[in-house]
Amino acid sequence: MRQMLENCQVIPCEAGGDPGVIHDGAIIINGNKIEAVGRREDLAPLRSQFEPHQVRDLGGRWVMPGLMDMHVHLSLALPGNGHLLAQVEDDMDLTMRAYRNALNALEAGVTFLRTVGDARFVDLHIKRAINSGTLKGPRLFCAGHMVIITGGHGHGRGAKEADGPEGFRQAVREQLRAGADLIKLAITGGIAGEHEAITDSQATVAEMEAAAQAAHNAGRRITAHAGSAKAITQGVLAGLDCVEHGYFLDGWTVDLMVKQGTFLVPTLSVSRAPEYMRERGCPQWMIDKALRAGEGHMQSYQLAVAAGLPVAMGTDMLPAEDYDNTLAVYREMEWMVEGGMSNHEVLLASTIKAAELCQVQDTLGSVSVGKLADLIAMPENPLDNMQNLRKLDFVMKDGEIYRDF
């Protein structure tokens, strides 16, 4: 079916410094793709092709591409109460909980989720159900199980433990066999590990090289949970395409990442969310550990932004979870602005730059002719104030409306 959205301000989110807002705009959608976008007066001659029910007046709303969250665990169960409950979940319970989290994210305007480590391949199962039309939901781009050393970060929470280059190579191939779109490693300790420091190196260079080779041989990108500059430097030289968190970067490491074209997904929220953690029953040691990392985490992000490192938005929370009087995905974007990016840069990091990271920029990430019709809208301009995203009240995926004002 063809449809026309009109009386809107369009933020294309195409790469470049100028936002290129189309005021008093209109968008023509044919099936699940964008057929035309431009000023309403320029598309007016085509309006006669539509029946009244095919034309939607957006009331002056600001339209942009659907948000793309690059760091999600649909089966997230933090240390504490959540982890205890997860231990007794059967497969159906886990699947229903993870699917609910995915659907909530879509209703919050996140039309694309990059999952970076889930238990029992639940992300891949849900993806297949959505892609087949069995379930409604966002687009999923999945890593399957995170690959870690024995007892490494994430052990006991659905990660795949392996050791040595051959062990890592086999573990990566197991994820590929299951249908993984990307590979995720953990190469240092993290906030959620009680008996590890964030800066502890875990994977060896040889293990990382073997994993990267296996991923790249299959045409997949590889990313890693990583905290220390030393481990990140080793990982980038071993072939990482992206770094998650980057808690403690230094100038030399950032310059290397820029040279290599390595992405950063900073997940700023995870080191500045004490109330969020308390409400979920996280232990005090974890809260203290997160807060101790907060200053260095923000400074690392600021180093990356100043150096021009490619950055994509990721929450490392469930995107639609309550956090700091809003939803996690909106607050993460606000932190990114507070850390030094312009509003437009953060919108790009949450759309077209994220699409580039996942190599889907030809079909997603901007309001452009020929791309899939994944759109969100809100009454006020997020270029003026990122908190205007909190007022989002319209979500479309594949030309189908999932949330309406």
Side-chain angles (χ1 to χ4, degrees):
M1 183 188 82
R2 294 177 78 220
Q3 54 185 313
M4 186 174 193
L5 307 178
E6 64 176 12
N7 188 16
C8 56
Q9 329 306 321
V10 181
I11 307 172
C13 290
E14 296 171 335
D18 186 344
V21 175
I22 302 171
H23 294 282
D24 193 18
I27 303 168
I28 294 176
I29 298 164
N30 191 348
N32 68 342
K33 291 186 176 180
I34 298 170
E35 179 182 309
V37 56
R39 287 181 55 79
R40 178 162 50 164
E41 63 181 10
D42 295 332
L43 297 182
L46 302 176
R47 198 179 190 282
S48 61
Q49 300 175 6
F50 296 88
E51 298 294 329
H53 70 276
Q54 295 175 295
V55 179
R56 181 64 192 277
D57 188 322
L58 293 184
R61 279 172 172 74
W62 294 79
V63 178
M64 60 175 283
L67 300 175
M68 304 175 74
D69 190 333
M70 294 293 99
H71 195 116
V72 177
H73 303 278
L74 292 175
S75 58
L76 181 68
L78 296 173
N81 298 339
H83 182 58
L84 292 173
L85 291 172
Q87 297 305 299
V88 298
E89 282 182 320
D90 62 21
D91 289 347
M92 180 59 75
D93 290 335
L94 172 65
T95 302
M96 293 302 293
R97 177 168 66 86
Y99 174 61
R100 181 191 64 208
N101 292 336
L103 195 59
N104 288 347
L106 177 59
E107 292 172 353
V110 185
T111 56
F112 186 107
L113 304 177
R114 176 177 174 259
T115 66
V116 287
D118 275 298
R120 303 180 227 173
F121 293 120
V122 68
D123 54 343
L124 288 160
H125 294 316
I126 293 171
K127 174 188 173 180
R128 282 191 283 271
I130 292 172
N131 288 355
S132 70
T134 302
L135 296 175
K136 301 286 189 180
R139 303 183 194 279
L140 298 183
F141 194 82
C142 305
H145 299 157
M146 181 169 65
V147 178
I148 66 173
I149 64 168
T150 296
H153 180 73
H155 74 275
R157 297 196 295 275
K160 171 66 178 179
E161 296 180 68
D163 294 295
E166 290 308 313
F168 264 59
R169 184 177 287 110
Q170 180 175 337
V172 167
R173 288 172 176 167
E174 289 175 4
Q175 309 318 303
L176 297 171
R177 179 179 63 191
D181 301 301
L182 76 150
I183 298 299
K184 164 80 176 300
L185 311 179
I187 65 172
T188 71
I191 289 172
E194 184 175 7
H195 305 297
E196 62 188 27
I198 293 173
T199 53
D200 285 351
S201 292
Q202 294 188 346
T204 67
V205 171
E207 288 169 336
M208 291 186 277
E209 287 176 340
Q213 182 187 49
H216 293 157
N217 283 351
R220 305 295 198 278
R221 286 188 162 178
I222 182 167
T223 191
H225 161 104
S228 71
K230 176 185 175 181
I232 291 167
T233 296
Q234 292 174 337
V236 171
L237 292 173
L240 291 180
D241 301 297
C242 183
V243 169
E244 312 292 318
H245 314 301
Y247 293 112
F248 302 115
L249 294 168
D250 60 25
W252 196 93
T253 304
V254 168
D255 289 344
L256 175 65
M257 293 173 70
V258 171
K259 180 180 178 181
Q260 299 291 101
T262 311
F263 272 80
L264 174 67
V265 178
T267 70
L268 295 172
S269 297
V270 296
S271 61
R272 40 197 30 83
E275 290 306 317
Y276 167 91
M277 291 181 178
R278 288 190 189 98
E279 289 168 1
R280 284 150 185 81
C282 293
Q284 190 61 43
W285 62 258
M286 181 178 172
I287 297 171
D288 294 341
K289 195 175 186 182
L291 293 177
R292 285 196 301 268
E295 183 177 358
H297 192 188
M298 181 61 81
Q299 289 173 348
S300 295
Y301 166 71
Q302 291 168 336
L303 270 179
V305 171
L309 191 67
V311 173
M313 184 274 294
T315 56
D316 199 12
M317 294 179 175
L318 298 170
E321 276 190 303
D322 292 332
Y323 164 47
D324 206 10
N325 299 312
T326 183
L327 302 185
V329 65
Y330 309 149
R331 191 66 184 99
E332 178 67 25
M333 295 171 71
E334 292 165 15
W335 283 123
M336 292 173 77
V337 171
E338 291 176 42
M341 272 188 158
S342 71
N343 287 25
H344 184 231
E345 287 171 333
V346 172
L347 295 186
L348 295 180
S350 308
T351 55
I352 191 61
K353 299 305 292 185
E356 291 173 2
L357 171 56
C358 297
Q359 298 178 296
V360 295
Q361 68 270 25
D362 290 342
T363 56
L364 293 167
S366 65
V367 185
S368 307
V369 172
K371 292 198 176 183
L372 295 169
D374 291 6
L375 304 170
I376 59 175
M378 61 226 73
E380 297 181 40
N381 184 4
L383 291 170
D384 289 341
N385 187 335
M386 194 58 69
Q387 289 192 3
N388 287 334
L389 268 174
R390 301 183 181 196
K391 303 169 186 176
L392 183 151
D393 59 3
F394 179 89
V395 178
M396 171 182 283
K397 180 216 163 191
D398 258 342
E400 182 178 350
I401 296 173
Y402 283 83
R403 180 175 174 182
D404 208 353
F405 53 87

